[in-house]
Structures are given as structure tokens and as C-alpha cells.
Amino acid sequence: MHIPKGDYPEDNCKENEKRNSTSTPVKTMEVLEVLATSRNGLGVTEISRMVDLNKSTVYRILMALVDKQYVLKDESIKRYRLGFKLLLLSNQALDSLELRKIARPELNELSRLSSETVHLVWLERDEGVYVEKIDTPEGVGLLSRVGNRLPLYSTGVGKAMLAFMDDNRIQSYLQRVTLMPKTSYTIISAEQLQMEIMEIRKNGYAVDHQENRLGVVCVAAPIFDSNGNVIAAISVSGPNFRLSEEKANSFGPILKGKALQVSEKLGY
């Protein structure tokens, strides 16, 4: 019996794949958007028609989303709906946006006091994410951008957040993450990083002496939520010819105080 191509999701539609492959990320978003319009879920054929994409590609997109738990599949009726992981992401996004608003007065004050670049960084798993930036009024600034990710072990904001995690979480982080050198100043020894963590805990702030990028110095302090969990950090960063190691350390207590003010607004 001859079965025409495209009757099943698993069929290989090479011509259509080639046409759609360049827009797969966009189509993935469109699949999520159409699923968001349905309470009872949708089948592959319905989604294919709504996003104008062949069924085999829709099926592969759905399988990838199911694997990552962004989409749930009802095996009994072969329909798909949004998963709870998207709710988690949306809550995190809302939290980070709210934090930007809450921390804005302290960020502005740090910018005024330092005349250097000020960052607000959100903790997300094993990385930090820039969620706010105030540029320096000086001629030479930094190339960081809101939305960019950064490592914890080699940055001031990252070390400030890492140091105030509980010990089990720190040990788990050190087991998962390879401490790769970003510059010749990067701490790549777990033992040395743990010693640095103890110093940061004692001082209440962290300093990055060109550890993530040559010529850039950063001083940062952690922000805590109402449960006492570290969720973010604020920092002052600048080129080392303006922000010396001594000057960065002098800003440490100021950063600590401003971060505490933000934490208190969050119920800490």
C-alpha cells in the first residue's frame, strides 16, 4: 500500500525542511504562541496549519520542547499543551523586571558616587544575567549588554553571589563547572576560589581584579530575598586606569550598604 509523504509526523520532507530550516527558532516561538491560545491542547496537524509549517518539522520542534518540559504531551489523545516550566521562566522574568524597578534608586546613587558603569545582575542557575546597566559618563566605558550572561567564578558580581550560597550549593557548583581561565588573573583552582569565598563572606563584597577581562576592575555586593537567599548582585565596574584596586576596595562598603537597602525592600 502506498502512503503519501507527509501523512505522518515522522515522514522525511526534505524539500520543506530546507525551506524552513533557517527560521526554526522563530517557528519554535510560533509553536509556543499557538499552544498558548488553546486550553485543551493541539495536535500536530492543527499546529502545522496554524504556523504554516510541515508536520515533520512541527513534530521535531514539539519533541524537543517536550524533552525540555516546555510542552506536555497527552499520549491518550496525541495533543500538546504548554508545560509548567514556561510558568517558572515567566515568574523569573517578572521577578527580575520587578527587581530593576526596586533597585533603580540605589543604582542611580552608585552611578552618581562612582562615575563608573553600574550593573544589576540576576542569578540564574550557574550564571549571572545582566538585567540593568547604567553607563559611565566618562569617555571609556564597558561593552556589557543587558541580557548577556557571565560566569560566577571570574566576575565580581558572580563571586558575590557564589560566596553567599549555602556550602552544599557551592560544592555542587564546583563539581559541575570547569574553572577555565578568562585572563591570566582568573582563579582556576577550586581551593583558591574557596579561600576567596571566605574572604568575600567576611567583607560582604567581592572584587574582580581583571579576572574576567583584562583591564577591567569590578566591585560587587549580593542582594537577598525575603527568605535570605542570594538572588542578584549590584556592581561598579571600570577600566583599571580609573578604578584601581585600592579605589575598588574603598567602594566595597558602599556597595554592601546599597545592596542591603535593596534586600530590605525585598523583605530581607
Side-chain angles (χ1 to χ4, degrees):
M1 178 179 176
H2 174 68
I3 300 175
K5 284 186 176 181
D7 281 8
Y8 295 101
E10 293 83 354
D11 285 340
N12 187 16
C13 302
K14 292 184 178 179
E15 183 176 344
N16 286 335
E17 269 182 33
K18 184 177 180 181
R19 176 170 55 86
N20 292 301
S21 62
T22 57
S23 59
T24 297
V26 174
K27 291 299 184 181
T28 299
M29 295 300 102
E30 291 179 358
V31 168
L32 290 171
E33 287 172 357
V34 298
L35 286 174
T37 66
S38 174
R39 284 189 175 184
N40 301 317
L42 297 168
V44 172
T45 300
E46 293 171 290
I47 298 171
S48 174
R49 184 179 66 253
M50 294 170 74
V51 299
D52 190 27
L53 192 64
N54 66 75
K55 287 187 284 187
S56 63
T57 303
V58 168
Y59 180 78
R60 277 191 294 278
I61 289 173
L62 288 168
M63 288 301 95
L65 292 169
V66 168
D67 183 60
K68 294 297 183 181
Q69 300 178 358
Y70 293 115
V71 168
L72 301 176
K73 180 181 180 182
D74 188 331
E75 294 287 355
S76 63
I77 57 174
K78 306 298 183 185
R79 296 176 79 82
Y80 300 83
R81 59 185 176 85
L82 294 182
F84 289 107
K85 193 170 183 182
L86 281 173
L87 179 61
L88 174 63
L89 289 180
S90 66
N91 285 339
Q92 290 177 334
L94 288 172
D95 287 345
S96 64
L97 289 172
E98 183 67 16
L99 181 60
R100 289 173 64 184
K101 181 179 178 181
I102 290 171
R104 173 56 71 169
E106 286 73 23
L107 299 177
N108 286 337
E109 181 66 4
L110 286 171
S111 175
R112 185 188 68 80
L113 290 172
S114 68
S115 294
E116 296 292 353
T117 302
V118 175
H119 290 119
L120 173 65
V121 173
W122 183 258
L123 177 61
E124 190 170 289
R125 295 190 180 89
D126 292 338
E127 296 178 305
V129 181
Y130 291 113
V131 294
E132 188 61 284
K133 176 185 180 182
I134 301 178
D135 283 308
T136 175
E138 301 291 338
V140 178
L142 303 182
L143 298 176
S144 53
R145 296 178 61 182
V146 170
N148 283 0
R149 294 177 176 271
L150 61 155
L152 301 184
Y153 68 92
S154 62
T155 60
V157 283
K159 291 191 296 181
M161 295 187 290
L162 184 63
F164 290 92
M165 295 177 185
D166 64 62
D167 290 338
N168 289 336
R169 189 174 176 187
I170 293 173
Q171 290 305 316
S172 178
Y173 170 84
L174 291 174
Q175 290 171 8
R176 287 192 307 272
V177 176
T178 302
L179 306 182
M180 300 290 292
K182 302 293 183 179
T183 72
S184 58
Y185 297 95
T186 307
I187 298 173
I188 57 174
S189 160
E191 292 76 17
Q192 187 180 350
L193 184 58
Q194 287 175 312
M195 291 176 62
E196 176 89 350
I197 284 170
M198 296 304 294
E199 186 69 15
I200 294 167
R201 286 179 173 178
K202 183 177 73 174
N203 295 331
Y205 63 89
V207 180
D208 154 20
H209 301 291
Q210 305 185 68
E211 295 161 46
N212 195 62
R213 187 177 175 191
L214 284 175
V216 176
V217 175
C218 170
V219 56
I223 294 172
F224 302 92
D225 66 12
S226 58
N227 295 316
N229 298 314
V230 61
I231 58 167
I234 53 177
S235 70
V236 169
S237 303
N240 63 337
F241 62 81
R242 280 202 314 259
L243 187 60
S244 65
E245 184 175 334
E246 182 180 355
K247 188 176 180 180
N249 277 292
S250 72
F251 268 111
I254 299 173
L255 262 293
K256 181 182 176 181
K258 295 301 178 185
L260 179 59
Q261 289 177 12
V262 177
S263 298
E264 289 173 343
K265 292 181 184 179
L266 298 173
Y268 176 64

